[in-house]
Every structure is written in structure tokens, then in C-alpha cells.
Amino acid sequence: MAAQGVTPRSEDYSRWYTDVVRMADLAENAPVRGCMIIKPYGYELWENIKSALDSRFKATGHRNAYFPLFIPMSFINKEAEHVEGFTPELAVVTHGGGKELEEPLAVRPTSETVIGHAFADWIQSYRDLPLLINQWANVVRWELRPRLFLRTTEFLWQEGHTAHATQDEAIEETLRMLDVYADMAINECAIPVIKGVKSQQEKFAGAVDSYSIEAMMGNTWALQSGTSHFLGENFAKAFDIKYLAEDNTQQYAWTTSWGVSTRMVGGVIMAHGDDKGLRLPPRIAPYQVVITPIWKTDEDRDTVFAFAMQVEDELRKVDVRYHLDERDGLSPGFKFNDWEMRGVPIRLEIGPRDVDAASVMLSRRDIPGRDGKMPLPIDNLADKVNGLLDDVQAALLRQATEYRDAHLFEASTYDELKEQVADGWSLIWHCGTRECEDRIKEETKASSRCFPLEDNSEWHPQGATCAVCGKPAYGKAYFGRAY
Ligand SMILES: [Zn+2]
């Protein structure tokens, strides 16, 4: 079995991605086109993202619940924009138990409707608000051009759904969860995302405003990595979510929803991967450290494994996620390439000579070649490894940030935008209209990513005009190629 490499990114980025997903053993295509089988290593990566999110949701007062997979079609039809937006992607069940159903059931594409229905019952008075719920679930949106993790017909996600007494509180919640997403992306996934508001045509079907975190991938394309929606009273009116206010009047509640999906795994692959495969941020890596014993004779084998057990004892002291590679019959070179492919942040090699020196040979995944190698004495190994994991985490964020910043541009004319989107994202005064965005997309293939919050202190600033069509600008928007 020869160690095999991935297609270089510079040769074919799309094939590089597919190769990494397969060779790092993350996922594979399912018998139904557009569906994916997430393999244990890929699922463990998702689980770590999931728990990083879940703890943040709980810390901000949300509770998990579960709602049904099947949604009556009449529910989907209640909110006009929602039905229009989701109908083309729906999977619909028409038969159950061998009989045609009286009412077809949608397989949930998202749960605003069924949760809105429940909220109408749960919420009676202002004392029931705010109601802060999250659900971990799978959803189905029929996908015509599937890509593993990035676009799949069925995917895993969380969807937060909240109801509030006032508009201000609902907007505050929408932005709070956007911050939670950004914090998770930056500090756990080492991806420096940009927070912004989507244009009206890019927003969620049924929302008043949609906010997103946008991440730059290794080919400069954008990946919308999480969204948070201010739904106004749209779903409250469609599902009759009302409460008795303190002044004894009946009021509609204000609702929000927000989601992050297994798409984030695709983001981690493309934000950090290189021509040797994955590079995983330690905080979400299934294995933070891999121990690879090297031996030729049976006698050596006993010696290196005895020492490896000492190393394991050390690592257990600091709660590091490690894995001992006990595989037989594979060359050290093959194993090293394999763990590099899987993006393990730190590798500890143990050969007979290392045992004699009471040390291990450490390799950092983020620093290629000799520069990333150092002998490490077993004394104090745990603390040293822990510190180096922090260094790797910080280095990946730094590299991703430097890469992103080198590909963020600002344009004052449409011609400048055209040039800039060939090599990154272009920030430009933009009207936000559909006609203008359609034109830009058709002529440059770049879509509006968001109006970044950081670059816009006010909306509709006086005198500012769209650099493409000349209409009054809504604000400055990023345009870029996107997944
Ligand atoms: Zn315009």
C-alpha cells in the first residue's frame, strides 16, 4: 500500500477538496444522490464543533428541545415568502402506511413553521417571554448540485428559535447569536469570519433581515458559514403567536431563528487545508496528538510501546485527545503521511533511539519539514504539548487571517470590482437591489456576500451612491465568488 497524495490545490481546487474529504476519511457519497455518509473521523470533527456551539447556547440561556421531522404542507404554506423560497427544495411525503395521506407532509427544510405552531400554544403572557429554544436535527433541502459537506440534500445542523416581547429584544438576540457564531468560528475553528447583513434578495425566506458570518476559503471563495435571522412579526402573524402584555393588551411576539450546519466542516477543510491534506485546529481536532511508534524488530517493538505508554500517561494528565497508532505492517513514512492527511496538529514519533534519550520527536502539522520538528524530553511533556497545541491553534488563525486580509479589496468603480473579484472579495458602495446584484453576478460570477457591520456605521448614508448603477447606496457590501 503506497501513500498517495491529493491533487495539488493550484492544479484543481475542487478535486483537491474531494480528495481530502475521501483520503482523510471524513465522508462519502450515499446511494441516494446528494446524501452523504459521514464517517467516524468526520463525525467526531462535527461533534466537537457541535459541543463548542451547544455550550455557548446554554451559556446564553437557551434550552434544547426536539420537534418532528414531518411538517403538514398547510404549515409551510402559511407564510408567503417562506413557501415561495422553500417549495423548490422540498421533499414531500404523500403516502404513509400504504395509503395516500389526506394531507401531504413536508420533510422539514427548517422548522420555523412547526415550532411557530408550538410557540403559539406555549406563549400566553409576557411572563412566558423570552422563549429561547434550540434544536439539533437533520433537515432536507433537495440539492441539484451536491458537494460533500457544502451542499447536501440532507444535512445536520442546529436551529435556534426564539420569541420576544419587543422588536428591540429580538434584534438584540439576532445579533447576540451572530456574535456567538463568530466567536465559535474564530476561537474554535480558527476561521476569521466577517459579520454582516445579507441583501434583501440573499436573505432567508420569511425574514425581515438575515445576518451571516462569511468565511474565506483557500481559493478566496466565500462560504456563508452561519446565519441569524430577525423574523419580525412575520411568523408570529402566520402562526398566531400572541401574548398578553403587562398593559392587558394582546400583542404579537417578535421571533428570531439562527443556524449552523455540517457545512462548517467543509469550511474548516478549505480554510486550513494544504497540499498534504487537512490541517485541523487543535480545539476541534478529533485527535490533537497522535503517537507513532517506530520499530523494526520485536524487541524494539516492546521497548517503544512501553515508552509510548509512559507518554500516554503524561498526556492523560492534561486531558489531551490523543491516539496511539498501533497499526502493524505499514512504513513510518506511510503513517506520517496518513496523519498529515488527517490534519492531526501534533505528531509524536517514538523510535528506539528516542527511548534511549528519554524523549520523543515532535512534529507540528502547521510547520512543514524540519522547522516543525523538535525533540521533546518526557519530563514535563504534557505541559509542553498543551502549550504547543495553543500555538498551533493561534498559528492557524493567524495564517487564515493573513491570507484573508491579503485578498480583501475595496473598489470605487465597477471596473475595479471586476478585477478584484478574480482574486478575492471586493468592498463597494452598493444599492442592494436585485437587478444590480443579478447584473454583477452575471458579468463577474461574484455574488453579494454581506454588508459588513464593521464597515458600515449607518444604512442609506446621505449622498452615497451605488458604484455600479448610481442609485442611492444601502451601504458598503462585499462581493465575491461563493460556494
Ligand atoms: Zn446598484
Side-chain angles (χ1 to χ4, degrees):
M1 189 159 40
Q4 198 190 346
V6 291
T7 305
R9 287 178 305 163
S10 55
E11 194 180 305
D12 186 338
Y13 195 79
S14 174
R15 258 185 62 199
W16 168 83
Y17 177 79
T18 312
D19 286 353
V20 171
V21 170
R22 181 173 49 88
M23 294 172 74
D25 216 20
L26 298 173
E28 60 195 29
N29 289 310
V32 173
R33 185 169 181 273
C35 293
M36 70 173 160
I37 297 166
I38 306 175
K39 299 183 79 175
Y41 195 61
Y43 196 76
E44 284 154 10
L45 181 53
W46 169 241
E47 280 181 315
N48 291 336
I49 293 171
K50 189 177 165 182
S51 66
L53 282 170
D54 200 62
S55 60
R56 284 168 170 80
F57 297 158
K58 284 169 181 159
T60 44
H62 303 83
R63 298 174 73 195
N64 287 332
Y66 187 78
F67 297 84
L69 172 69
F70 298 126
I71 301 178
M73 275 306 287
S74 58
F75 281 30
I76 306 276
N77 293 334
K78 275 187 182 177
E79 211 288 330
E81 281 188 20
H82 196 65
V83 59
E84 195 192 319
F86 278 101
T87 299
E89 303 179 347
L90 280 188
V92 180
V93 179
T94 56
H95 288 72
K99 278 194 206 151
E100 187 167 351
L101 302 173
E102 259 176 54
E103 181 182 359
L105 302 172
V107 180
R108 69 175 158 231
T110 179
S111 304
E112 279 74 9
T113 58
V114 68
I115 292 179
H117 176 80
F119 275 17
D121 190 39
W122 296 1
I123 297 167
Q124 299 299 330
S125 106
Y126 68 91
R127 289 185 200 88
D128 301 322
L129 298 172
L131 183 55
L132 309 174
I133 297 294
N134 176 64
Q135 147 162 289
W136 289 99
N138 56 341
V139 285
V140 167
R141 298 177 187 176
W142 218 259
E143 193 54 66
L144 302 176
R145 291 175 298 121
R147 303 284 320 265
L148 289 170
F149 290 113
L150 301 175
R151 281 180 188 284
T152 48
T153 288
E154 181 192 12
F155 57 88
L156 305 181
W157 79 342
Q158 59 70 216
E159 47 180 320
H161 294 270
T162 69
H164 307 263
T166 67
Q167 173 169 353
D168 284 353
E169 281 176 41
I171 292 172
E172 199 180 303
E173 165 79 4
T174 308
L175 292 170
R176 179 183 305 118
M177 300 324 286
L178 186 72
D179 283 342
V180 162
Y181 286 161
D183 179 63
M184 185 277 301
I186 294 165
N187 294 310
E188 307 283 345
C189 301
I191 300 177
V193 291
I194 289 177
K195 295 185 288 185
V197 63
K198 302 298 279 190
S199 70
Q200 286 295 301
Q201 73 164 332
E202 296 276 346
K203 74 178 182 184
F204 176 76
V208 173
D209 276 315
S210 288
Y211 297 81
S212 69
I213 50 169
E214 300 283 332
M216 189 182 283
M217 304 293 98
N219 61 348
T220 79
W221 286 29
L223 186 76
Q224 177 180 294
S225 309
T227 48
S228 187
H229 314 293
F230 169 58
L231 304 174
E233 293 177 306
N234 294 349
F235 285 89
K237 285 183 174 160
F239 287 90
D240 212 28
I241 311 172
K242 279 192 214 155
Y243 71 96
L244 189 66
E246 280 184 82
D247 64 2
N248 261 329
T249 57
Q250 284 286 334
Q251 304 282 343
Y252 283 112
W254 300 81
T255 65
T256 82
S257 67
W258 26 275
V260 159
S261 73
T262 34
R263 191 163 221 233
M264 195 75 199
V265 174
V268 169
I269 298 167
M270 289 194 288
H272 301 301
D274 65 13
D275 287 346
K276 289 182 168 174
L278 278 180
R279 298 195 310 161
L280 293 179
R283 292 187 62 91
I284 55 166
Y287 305 141
Q288 297 171 311
V289 175
V290 64
I291 307 165
T292 49
I294 302 163
W295 72 94
K296 282 207 179 92
T297 65
D298 285 350
E299 196 189 329
D300 284 350
R301 190 183 190 283
D302 293 344
T303 314
V304 293
F305 272 90
F307 192 71
M309 281 170 72
Q310 286 181 47
V311 171
E312 287 186 284
D313 286 342
E314 284 297 311
L315 293 176
R316 267 197 290 272
K317 287 180 192 166
V318 286
D319 211 16
V320 163
R321 293 189 292 273
Y322 67 86
H323 174 75
L324 175 63
D325 187 351
E326 296 180 271
R327 292 178 293 177
D328 214 338
L330 297 172
S331 73
F334 178 90
K335 289 186 180 182
F336 297 165
N337 288 340
D338 188 35
W339 293 118
E340 282 180 350
M341 179 70 70
R342 292 166 187 249
V344 177
I346 287 179
R347 185 177 75 231
L348 303 176
E349 299 158 29
I350 304 171
R353 265 189 292 179
D354 301 305
V355 178
D356 289 343
S359 71
V360 299
M361 183 57 78
L362 179 144
S363 297
R364 287 174 61 155
R365 178 63 179 88
D366 63 312
I367 304 176
R370 280 179 186 281
D371 293 345
K373 283 189 162 231
M374 65 181 93
L376 200 63
I378 188 152
D379 307 324
N380 254 332
L381 177 122
D383 287 336
K384 196 80 207 250
V385 165
N386 233 359
L388 284 169
L389 287 170
D390 289 343
D391 291 353
V392 176
Q393 181 82 28
L396 289 181
L397 178 60
R398 192 172 56 243
Q399 287 170 25
T401 307
E402 282 168 6
Y403 179 81
R404 182 199 66 178
D405 291 348
H407 295 90
L408 289 181
F409 307 107
E410 190 156 358
S412 47
T413 64
Y414 187 26
D415 281 342
E416 279 177 21
L417 178 140
K418 283 180 184 167
E419 267 175 40
Q420 292 171 354
V421 295
D423 190 37
W425 306 356
S426 179
L427 186 70
I428 195 165
W429 285 113
H430 177 49
C431 60
T433 65
R434 179 180 292 271
E435 305 79 60
C436 204
E437 293 196 350
D438 286 351
R439 178 182 162 201
I440 296 168
K441 187 150 191 193
E442 205 183 296
E443 292 175 358
T444 70
K445 293 184 181 158
S447 55
S448 86
R449 302 320 311 150
C450 67
F451 292 90
L453 301 181
E454 205 182 81
D455 298 280
N456 290 286
S457 53
E458 56 175 337
W459 304 118
H460 293 301
Q462 190 120 41
T465 53
C466 176
V468 176
C469 72
K471 284 183 199 150
Y474 180 73
K476 284 182 179 175
Y478 270 118
F479 279 80
R481 298 287 299 267
Y483 284 97

